[in-house]
Amino acid sequence: IHQNLTSDNVLIRRTPSDAEDVKVLNFGTSPFDINDLDFPVEKAKYLSPEQCSNTSEIDERTDIYSLGVILYEILTGKHPFGFASDARALVAAYEKGATPPREVSPACPLLLEDLCLKLMESDPVKRPKSADLVAQGVEEFLEGAKEKDRRRDEALRLCDQAAEPRRRHQELEAE
């Protein structure tokens, strides 16, 4: 369990083969204590509800929640709860729930919105239990996008084929 997952410690880079390589940094750092007077407010935005309630029942789903916040920021360019100033404000925001990403950014794909909202469930039991399940959701989105691209490419090819006799006819008339 990382317990300190933020957009600042997720690094994405291109490899020489043009693939994306994702690294999570800062493993081994102390988990946050919201009662600490030096608690960084900027980091509080990524805490799960269970971290803000000082429960001892923290597991990998805490990181799944933080990943959902990062995905929300990627999809919308905004934090799901604005800029809450402390843990109490975040707890109040959790109870209200995040604005769905598509309401903030209409171009957000529905499957990614669904995944994002599942990751950010305030009840940890309702979140995916593992990063493997999250990866499966991302793979489903990517497969759907590839299929959509294949259908679009096929439709364009058929349109070109249908337009070819007309182009030939126009070329013959021009001669």
Side-chain angles (χ1 to χ4, degrees):
I1 304 172
H2 194 283
Q3 292 190 61
N4 187 5
L5 197 57
T6 70
S7 59
D8 289 340
N9 56 30
V10 176
L11 177 67
I12 303 172
R13 68 178 182 89
R14 288 245 179 246
T15 64
S17 64
D18 206 32
E20 290 180 349
D21 185 30
V22 179
K23 300 281 187 197
V24 177
L25 311 173
N26 292 338
F27 271 97
T29 57
S30 305
F32 289 130
D33 178 0
I34 62 170
N35 296 312
D36 183 352
L37 294 177
D38 294 327
F39 184 79
V41 174
E42 189 62 28
K43 305 283 185 183
K45 299 185 317 180
Y46 298 90
L47 294 179
S48 65
E50 57 272 22
Q51 283 176 294
C52 288
S53 65
N54 268 340
T55 181
S56 61
E57 298 176 20
I58 292 176
D59 61 19
E60 58 273 4
R61 290 173 289 193
T62 290
D63 292 341
I64 300 288
Y65 182 90
S66 300
L67 185 60
V69 173
I70 294 167
L71 179 58
Y72 191 100
E73 290 176 328
I74 291 169
L75 295 173
T76 67
K78 300 177 189 276
H79 186 273
F81 303 112
F83 290 97
S85 58
D86 60 26
R88 283 182 291 285
L90 275 172
V91 171
Y94 296 144
E95 290 172 5
K96 178 182 165 214
T99 301
R102 289 167 55 93
E103 287 183 27
V104 177
S105 179
C108 174
L110 182 60
L111 283 173
L112 285 181
E113 177 183 69
D114 289 345
L115 177 62
C116 181
L117 294 174
K118 284 178 192 169
L119 300 179
M120 291 177 37
E121 282 283 351
S122 45
D123 181 355
V125 173
K126 294 180 180 177
R127 288 181 219 141
K129 293 181 173 116
S130 70
D132 288 339
L133 291 173
V134 174
Q136 182 180 346
V138 171
E139 288 295 325
E140 288 172 10
F141 166 74
L142 293 173
E143 282 303 314
K146 286 178 189 173
E147 180 58 29
K148 188 176 179 181
D149 286 347
R150 281 191 287 271
R151 287 193 308 255
R152 184 199 67 227
D153 291 348
E154 179 64 14
L156 289 172
R157 188 185 64 73
L158 290 172
C159 287
D160 282 347
Q161 283 180 347
E164 184 60 31
R166 183 175 178 194
R167 277 193 291 264
R168 284 188 190 158
H169 179 71
Q170 289 172 340
E171 287 172 1
L172 289 173
E173 284 183 346
E175 292 178 0

